[in-house]
């Protein structure tokens, strides 16, 4: 048994309010570590304002580098590359860093040994203090790959912090979508909180995300954000949740006060009763684990 | 011309804008490259004419011919192969495999490794009046979207008239693949600290790829200094502002395109496209 509980906040669809809710949870749950695994577009730090930040470089897959002095311009590298990452350049060839996946095939096929694999830093993870506890977040270099691996690193570092500071909970702000970063954020967690919105797009994305979470066998709680923007869709979500047995833990109305608070990078606590109630409901779910 | 609508932050209005851009311009093609969570179909509402599986090449190891030397496993940088000689086991983990071909290259035995196809998603295409629609939809549980995004973008780029690509969100490999074939990038954002932060990242990707771009501010409240200042400092044109409006949000919630809820937007969007094409 882990000495801490891991709660992840995901959504499928972007822009539903994951980060806003995660910040509210961070303010309400005692003795916790906070992790932002949306490494593509990390926003939680804008609300939690971390200090004493210590960045550590994160190395991704190596990148192939062609030495033009040794290159005979035979083109075998370009022909072999499954990712179309080799292009002609002057009298030789060069590797496109946005396409190279570091598989090493070009370096193996090159008859002139003109290609070497070089280490590549794709971002960094950052350990900080916040008023609400220790925080780990990350910055993937724009255009970078290996976001799944960086997510895993953020989670690992959050666990180290939780052990070091004897924290009982890790709150994880998750990435959007259903791909490898989300898989890395979900795996091994104890509760998944799904923030959705009453839109046709949101409903479609919720279904797909729930299907993914099914693979992981993690208890879920659904939050319907801005539920009053479309009451019919909201009722539709509630009916669907009843069918699938996923509890709706909270329904938060559209709130200009919340919008204003976020615009001013303030955490929206004690502004909206329903948001505060939702946070309590999540705390209860954690306590019941 | 191929125009992609992208953003760093999710939920800023890529699909809202891209579907209405395509519906405003005759004989255009709309392609949904947000293959993890595709939603364009809700707004375009096309009649689907084709629905095909999309697969990627994955190596399979024939244990009758395999020498269990383990060279493939050692050479695989993605840790997608496990060889256990003592029990004559050779497994390729399809979810980790990037189909690079290294294992086949290093294998000392002929006919031990052959290529099979693994379905990772589906491609659907159809029409709504004179708008062509293509969508990529990743199968739930498949971790990597990039090959499907690349395929749908490639199919879309064969269209001879205006192509509007609806990008995957974020600023990493999915977004890079979404914008790779485009001639022009529209970055849509919202006037908040989150919107600005992620816009800065998205602009960096666009600049690194050497592509021209313009900015659309969604949920605008007239004074959007947080974004306007950034655009001015970086010489980025603001192409359009879509107002913050609960009516627009409700229409979007119900799957109604922007130009149906706000018919006056049709000519505004067409003018925006004309300007983009003129300045090419």
């Amino acid at each position: 048994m882990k000495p801490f509980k891991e709660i992840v906040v995901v959504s499928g669809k972007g822009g539903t309010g994951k980060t806003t809710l995660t910040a509210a949870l961070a303010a309400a749950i005692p003795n916790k570590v906070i992790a932002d695994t949306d490494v593509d577009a990390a926003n939680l730090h804008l609300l939690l304002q971390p200090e004493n930040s210590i960045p550590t470089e994160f190395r991704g897959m190596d990148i192939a580098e062609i030495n033009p002095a040794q290159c005979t311009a035979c083109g075998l590298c370009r022909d072999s590359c499954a990712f179309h990452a080799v292009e002609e350049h002057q009298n030789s060839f060069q590797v496109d860093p946005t396409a190279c996946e570091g598989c090493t095939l070009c370096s193996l096929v090159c008859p002139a040994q003109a290609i070497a694999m070089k280490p590549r830093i794709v971002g960094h993870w950052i350990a900080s203090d916040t008023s609400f506890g220790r925080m780990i977040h990350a910055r993937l270099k724009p255009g970078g790959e290996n976001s799944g691996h960086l997510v895993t690193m953020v989670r690992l570092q959050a666990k180290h912090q939780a052990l070091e500071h004897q924290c009982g909970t890790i709150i994880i702000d998750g990435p959007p979508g259903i791909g490898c970063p989300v898989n890395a954020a979900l795996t091994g967690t104890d509760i998944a909180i799904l923030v959705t919105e009453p839109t046709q797009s949101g409903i479609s994305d919720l279904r797909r995300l729930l299907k993914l979470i099914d693979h992981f066998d993690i208890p879920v709680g659904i939050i319907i954000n801005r539920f009053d923007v479309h009451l019919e869709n909201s009722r539709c979500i509630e009916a669907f949740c009843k069918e699938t047995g996923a509890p709706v833990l909270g329904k938060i109305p559209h709130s200009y006060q919340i919008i204003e608070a976020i615009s001013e990078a303030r955490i929206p606590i004690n502004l909206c009763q329903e948001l505060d109630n939702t946070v309590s409901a999540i705390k209860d779910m954690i306590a019941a684990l | 011309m191929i125009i992609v609508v992208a953003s760093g932050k999710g939920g800023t209005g890529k699909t809202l804008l891209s579907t209405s851009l395509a519906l405003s311009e005759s004989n255009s093609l709309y392609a949904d490259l947000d293959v993890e969570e595709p939603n364009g179909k809700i707004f375009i509402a096309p009649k689907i004419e084709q629905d095909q599986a999309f697969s990627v090449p994955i190596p399979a190891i024939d244990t009758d011919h395999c020498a269990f030397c383990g060279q493939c496993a050692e050479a695989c940088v993605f840790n997608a192969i496990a060889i256990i000689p003592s029990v004559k086991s050779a497994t390729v983990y399809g979810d980790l495999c990037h189909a690079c071909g290294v294992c086949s290259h290093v294998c000392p035995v002929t006919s031990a490794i052959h290529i099979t196809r693994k379905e990772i998603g589906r491609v659907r295409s159809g029409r709504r009046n004179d708008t062509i629609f293509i969508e990529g939809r990743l199968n739930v549980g498949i971790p990597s979207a990039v090959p499907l995004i690349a395929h749908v973008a490639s199919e879309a780029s064969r269209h001879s008239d205006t192509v509007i690509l609806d990008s995957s969100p974020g600023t990493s490999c999915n977004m890079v693949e979404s914008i790779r074939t485009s001639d022009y990038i529209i970055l849509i954002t919202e006037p908040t600290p989150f919107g600005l932060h992620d816009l800065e990242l998205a602009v960096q990707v666009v600049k690194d790829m050497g592509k021209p771009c313009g900015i659309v501010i969604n949920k605008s409240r007239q004074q959007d200094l947080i974004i306007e200042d950034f655009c001015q400092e970086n010489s980025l044109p603001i192409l359009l502002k879509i107002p913050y409006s609960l009516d627009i949000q409700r229409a979007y919630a119900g799957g109604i395109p922007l130009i149906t809820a706000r018919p006056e937007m049709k000519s505004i969007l067409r003018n925006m496209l004309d300007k983009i094409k003129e300045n090419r």
Side-chain angles (χ1 to χ4, degrees):
Chain A
M1 273 260 308
K2 294 182 294 184
F4 44 73
K5 303 279 176 240
E6 291 178 276
I7 317 310
V8 64
V9 182
V10 283
S11 62
K13 191 179 188 313
T16 56
K18 284 185 294 309
T19 299
T20 304
L21 179 69
T22 308
L25 284 172
I29 295 175
N31 193 34
K32 100 306 278 178
V33 172
I34 304 142
D36 187 354
T37 60
D38 188 358
V39 303
D40 266 35
N43 285 327
L44 189 57
H45 66 283
L46 297 172
L47 290 178
L48 299 187
Q49 284 154 18
E51 291 174 330
N52 309 321
S53 296
I54 299 174
T56 305
E57 282 185 331
F58 180 74
R59 184 175 161 181
M61 303 303 288
D62 287 352
I63 185 168
E65 193 179 85
I66 300 172
N67 182 350
Q70 276 175 270
C71 173
T72 59
C74 68
L76 206 49
C77 48
R78 178 206 43 209
D79 300 339
S80 318
C81 180
F83 312 108
H84 309 290
V86 184
E87 46 204 16
E88 286 185 42
H89 178 69
Q90 291 168 357
N91 289 322
S92 174
F93 289 87
Q94 74 177 3
V95 175
D96 175 359
T98 71
C100 176
E101 299 213 4
C103 73
T104 77
L105 185 61
C106 57
S107 68
L108 297 174
V109 304
C110 177
Q113 275 99 53
I115 306 180
M117 301 306 296
K118 300 284 176 178
R120 172 164 45 171
I121 303 298
V122 296
H124 47 278
W125 57 271
I126 302 152
S128 315
D129 292 321
T130 72
S131 330
F132 310 102
R134 296 285 290 161
M135 176 175 178
I136 306 286
H137 70 288
R139 274 213 117 124
L140 191 70
K141 278 190 182 165
E145 290 185 41
N146 302 117
S147 34
H149 292 152
L150 185 50
V151 168
T152 301
M153 177 60 89
V154 167
R155 286 197 53 200
L156 180 66
Q157 294 304 325
K159 289 177 195 176
H160 285 329
Q161 294 290 328
L163 288 172
E164 199 183 310
H165 300 272
Q166 292 173 316
C167 296
T169 315
I170 301 176
I171 305 171
I172 304 164
D173 189 1
I178 56 165
C180 50
V182 177
N183 281 285
L186 284 168
T187 187
T189 55
D190 302 291
I191 294 175
I193 302 295
L194 276 57
V195 183
T196 188
E197 58 180 38
T199 63
Q200 292 294 310
S201 303
I203 292 170
S204 169
D205 296 356
L206 176 66
R207 285 176 187 270
R208 283 169 66 78
L209 180 59
L210 279 168
K211 212 168 153 188
L212 178 72
I213 294 179
D214 229 6
H215 291 308
F216 289 94
D217 199 26
I218 302 168
V220 306
I222 313 285
I223 312 294
I224 309 176
N225 198 9
R226 301 187 288 262
F227 80 93
D228 53 344
V229 167
H230 202 288
L231 292 172
E232 194 188 317
N233 282 346
S234 186
R235 279 193 288 269
C236 199
I237 295 172
E238 287 184 273
F240 167 68
C241 288
K242 202 166 174 183
E243 247 174 65
T244 54
V248 174
L249 295 180
K251 285 161 46 176
I252 304 164
H254 173 273
S255 157
Y256 283 111
Q257 285 174 308
I258 294 179
I259 291 168
E260 211 177 281
I262 299 300
S263 286
E264 294 164 11
R266 278 186 290 120
I267 301 172
I269 37 173
N270 301 324
L271 287 178
C272 170
Q273 190 61 57
E274 291 88 341
L275 174 57
D276 296 339
N277 291 346
T278 300
V279 168
S280 297
I282 296 170
K283 280 175 80 174
D284 291 342
M285 192 174 174
I286 298 169
L289 279 174
Chain B
M1 186 174 185
I2 302 173
I3 298 167
V4 65
V5 180
S7 69
K9 192 183 184 318
T12 52
K14 289 179 292 305
T15 301
L16 174 88
L17 179 62
S18 56
T19 50
S20 276
L21 276 172
L23 290 170
S24 305
E25 177 91 344
S26 23
N27 299 320
S28 65
L29 179 147
Y30 165 88
D32 197 342
L33 302 184
D34 185 1
V35 303
E36 291 186 20
E37 300 282 26
N39 289 317
K41 185 167 171 286
I42 295 167
F43 301 91
I44 304 280
K47 179 163 176 287
I48 296 295
E49 289 157 6
Q50 273 199 322
D51 185 342
Q52 290 175 319
F54 175 75
S55 61
V56 293
I58 299 283
I61 300 174
D62 184 348
T63 46
D64 287 338
H65 293 106
C66 177
F68 304 100
C69 65
Q71 283 191 60
C72 55
E74 213 177 293
C76 178
V77 300
F78 306 106
N79 298 316
I81 303 180
I83 307 288
I84 311 174
S86 55
V87 295
K88 292 210 180 336
S89 163
T91 312
V92 176
Y93 295 104
D95 286 348
L96 297 175
C97 174
H98 285 225
C100 65
V102 165
C103 53
S104 299
H105 178 76
V106 304
C107 177
V109 179
T110 42
S111 69
I113 299 183
H114 62 277
I115 304 301
T116 59
R117 309 291 302 186
K118 175 183 169 164
E119 182 186 317
I120 66 162
R122 300 198 72 84
V123 179
R124 293 197 279 194
S125 56
R127 288 182 161 273
R128 163 79 175 269
N129 301 326
D130 69 354
T131 308
I132 302 173
F133 169 88
I134 305 180
E135 168 200 90
R137 184 171 288 251
L138 193 70
N139 289 348
V140 175
I142 300 291
S144 179
V146 167
L148 180 53
I149 296 172
H151 174 75
V152 178
S154 166
E155 290 293 293
S157 65
R158 297 196 327 206
H159 182 63
S160 50
D161 226 308
T162 308
V163 173
I164 308 287
L165 303 176
D166 188 354
S167 170
S168 263
T171 58
S172 69
C173 46
N174 285 0
M175 181 251 195
V176 167
E177 204 55 48
S178 300
I179 71 176
R180 197 187 289 288
T181 60
S182 67
D183 302 304
Y184 189 90
I185 299 162
I186 298 174
L187 289 175
I188 184 164
T189 186
E190 57 182 44
T192 64
F194 291 5
L196 173 67
H197 177 272
D198 299 351
L199 178 65
E200 287 174 322
L201 297 171
V203 166
Q204 192 58 57
V205 180
V206 168
K207 284 204 168 128
D208 286 348
M209 292 179 83
K211 305 224 184 228
C213 78
I215 311 300
V216 168
I217 302 177
N218 191 12
K219 301 178 201 169
S220 165
R221 280 166 292 183
Q222 304 290 355
Q223 264 227 341
D224 306 313
L225 287 176
I226 189 170
I227 303 295
E228 285 166 4
D229 287 346
F230 171 75
C231 288
Q232 195 167 49
E233 283 158 28
N234 291 274
S235 311
L236 296 165
I238 295 176
L239 304 170
L240 173 69
K241 289 188 178 198
I242 302 171
Y244 186 97
S245 149
L246 278 175
D247 282 342
I248 292 179
Q249 287 184 42
R250 278 190 199 109
Y252 172 83
I256 297 165
L258 177 64
I259 54 166
T260 307
R262 292 276 178 109
E264 73 276 13
M265 290 298 296
K266 195 168 179 182
S267 57
I268 293 173
L269 293 183
R270 261 219 293 267
N271 289 342
M272 189 176 89
L273 281 175
D274 286 342
K275 267 215 183 99
I276 291 171
K277 289 178 189 176
E278 269 164 42
N279 290 330
R280 200 181 175 179

